[in-house]
Every structure is written in C-alpha cells, then in structure tokens.
Amino acid sequence: NLPLEEKNLSLFSSIKKEKKSSAEEDILGELEKIIGEVQTARPRLKKEEGESKLKSQDLQAILDITQAVNSTLVLDDILQIVMKRAIELLKAERGFLMLLDEEGKLQFKTAHNIAKESLTQEDFKISMSIANQVAQMGQSVFTSDALQDGRFANQKSIVELNLRSIMCVPLKSKEKIIGIVYVDNSTQANVFVQSDLHLFELFASQAAIAIENAQLYQSLLELKIYNENVVNRTPIGIIVVDQNFN
C-alpha cells in the first residue's frame, strides 16, 4: 500500500488528467466569447480571413498557456513561459510577474527585457503604484501614454522612468488575487491598444490557474519530504494508513 502522502500526489495527478479535456473545452469556449467581444475593435483581426479570426500568434500565446496548465507543475518553468509569451504577444519592451506573499505584499518572481539578456537591480524599477493598485483592487490598468495621462502623468516613477505604454492585469484564480502581470514600453506611446487588454486578461487568467496548480503541487511535495524526514528520524516504527486502514 502507498503511504498517504504519495496517494495524495497520485490523486492530484489523476484528477488533473481527468479535468484536462473539460478544461480545454472551457478555454475554447472562453476564447470564442472574447473574440466576439473584440472582433469589431481589435486592429490585429485578419479581415481578409473573416472577423472571427485572430492572428495566429495571438491564439498561439493563449494555447501555450493552456498547455502550461496541463503539462507542467514546475512553478519556475510556468513563470518563465508566462512572461516570455506575454512580451511576445504584446510587443512590450519589459515584462514583470509578481506574486503576493503571505503578508499581502508583491514580490518579483520573473522579469524580461527584450534589450537585455541579464537584468540588474535598476531594471526592476516599475510603477509600483500601478502594480499595487491592480493587486489591491483586482482591476486592470491600461494607458497608451502614461506621460500624457492625467491619472499617472504626475507620478514620480512614471516621469523618472519615462514610461509611455503600460498594461497591468491581476492574476486571479477563483476570484482570489494571487499577483499581477505588468508590461510597459518607455520609448513609444500607443504600443498597446484598449482591445489588447481583453486578450491580456484572458492570458493572465490561464496563467493564474497554472501558477496555483504548481503551488499546490509544491506544497504536497514539501509535505511528503517533511513526513519522510519525520519517519527517518523516529526510532520507533510508524505505519501510515488511509481512512480505510489500507
């Protein structure tokens, strides 16, 4: 008989496989809904192929996140996939993914800059006022030119970093905010358009599912390791059984 903690891990994996098909169907349905909402306004729609089709890279980005939800439980891998695809999708210069810690404060988890292979501490300067607002309120923020936007033009970080195009969306799972995804551009205004926000929000919703699954799996692994250490350090024998005494 398997120890209880290994049964938990096995059960988690089997449930995940069973939900895979239904999850993919739900995502496709959600994609169709989003496409219907933005098809008249979105500049990246391919008119010659019909108003219900997005450019292949847009759909591919969402499908990549869907695959991440169903194919890996390694948190670091998921974070890298999310950030890289967000930058590619939105043509941003920089991107940052931040998660809330136990005290409710945002912590940088991954970052990407298309102009640099390695980042310094200076590269992690963003508009924290926008990031914190999104994390606290759970509502996305979009500006095509922050320096000309009355909401942000007088903010110190916006002026010092010369930030122009900014989008920041919450990472939500079952209405619980677990972090944010932030992208910006300091060299050009109007890089992002309002309709991009719909796609970015869908992107973030799939990312949040992947991240929460990975965090749950990591917690189960830590529990497994802890239980094994307890058994190894205990001089007497311990038998682990489930509710049916197996």
Side-chain angles (χ1 to χ4, degrees):
N1 292 325
L2 291 173
L4 180 57
E5 65 273 9
E6 290 189 17
K7 286 188 173 183
N8 287 336
L9 289 174
S10 177
L11 179 60
F12 180 83
S13 297
S14 62
I15 291 174
K16 185 171 174 291
K17 290 178 180 177
E18 291 174 2
K19 290 184 176 181
K20 181 175 181 179
S21 296
S22 60
E24 289 176 346
E25 290 176 0
D26 291 344
I27 291 166
L28 289 174
E30 192 170 1
L31 273 173
E32 291 179 358
K33 178 181 177 182
I34 295 297
I35 290 170
E37 291 176 355
V38 304
Q39 63 180 4
T40 57
R42 186 170 177 77
R44 289 207 284 257
L45 281 173
K46 287 190 173 182
K47 300 294 184 180
E48 68 275 13
E49 295 182 8
E51 292 186 347
S52 63
K53 291 187 178 181
L54 293 172
K55 265 190 173 180
S56 60
Q57 63 262 34
D58 292 351
L59 290 177
Q60 187 61 49
I62 301 301
L63 291 175
D64 282 350
I65 287 298
T66 304
Q67 290 171 354
V69 172
N70 291 286
S71 67
T72 181
L73 289 169
V74 179
L75 182 58
D76 288 343
D77 291 347
I78 291 172
L79 297 179
Q80 291 298 325
I81 291 171
V82 170
M83 199 70 270
K84 181 179 179 181
R85 295 304 295 174
I87 291 288
E88 293 174 353
L89 173 68
L90 299 166
K91 311 302 180 187
E93 283 184 343
R94 306 189 306 163
F96 302 87
L97 192 152
M98 306 176 74
L99 298 180
L100 291 169
D101 61 18
E102 294 180 354
E103 297 178 356
K105 296 180 180 180
L106 287 170
Q107 302 294 335
F108 285 101
K109 292 301 179 180
T110 187
H112 188 71
N113 187 321
I114 61 172
K116 298 182 179 181
E117 291 186 3
S118 60
L119 303 181
T120 65
Q121 187 172 357
E122 289 293 312
D123 295 314
F124 283 79
K125 290 184 177 181
I126 66 171
S127 175
M128 286 304 301
S129 57
I130 288 179
N132 285 323
Q133 175 186 327
V134 172
Q136 292 169 8
M137 304 300 294
Q139 296 179 345
S140 302
V141 167
F142 161 84
T143 177
S144 59
D145 191 349
L147 290 174
Q148 301 299 322
D149 192 324
R151 297 172 298 169
F152 312 115
N154 295 322
Q155 291 184 10
K156 184 178 179 180
S157 60
I158 299 293
V159 176
E160 288 182 349
L161 297 172
N162 192 44
L163 298 177
R164 307 297 298 277
S165 301
I166 300 173
M167 278 203 298
C168 185
V169 298
L171 290 167
K172 289 183 181 180
S173 181
K174 299 177 182 177
E175 298 305 313
K176 175 186 176 183
I177 299 171
I178 62 174
I180 61 98
V181 186
Y182 170 106
V183 293
D184 69 18
N185 191 305
S186 62
T187 60
Q188 186 178 352
N190 301 309
V191 171
F192 313 133
V193 294
Q194 182 69 47
S195 56
D196 285 330
L197 192 60
H198 294 281
L199 190 66
F200 196 24
E201 289 173 335
L202 178 57
F203 184 93
S205 70
Q206 302 310 312
I209 294 172
I211 291 168
E212 192 166 60
N213 282 345
Q215 290 175 327
L216 175 58
Y217 184 71
Q218 186 172 323
S219 296
L220 289 172
L221 284 178
E222 290 173 356
L223 175 62
K224 178 178 181 294
I225 293 171
Y226 172 79
N227 288 341
E228 288 176 347
N229 288 336
V230 170
V231 172
N232 292 335
R233 294 176 183 177
T234 303
I236 59 175
I238 295 179
I239 299 176
V240 180
V241 298
D242 58 21
Q243 60 184 1
N244 295 320
F245 297 98
N246 294 321

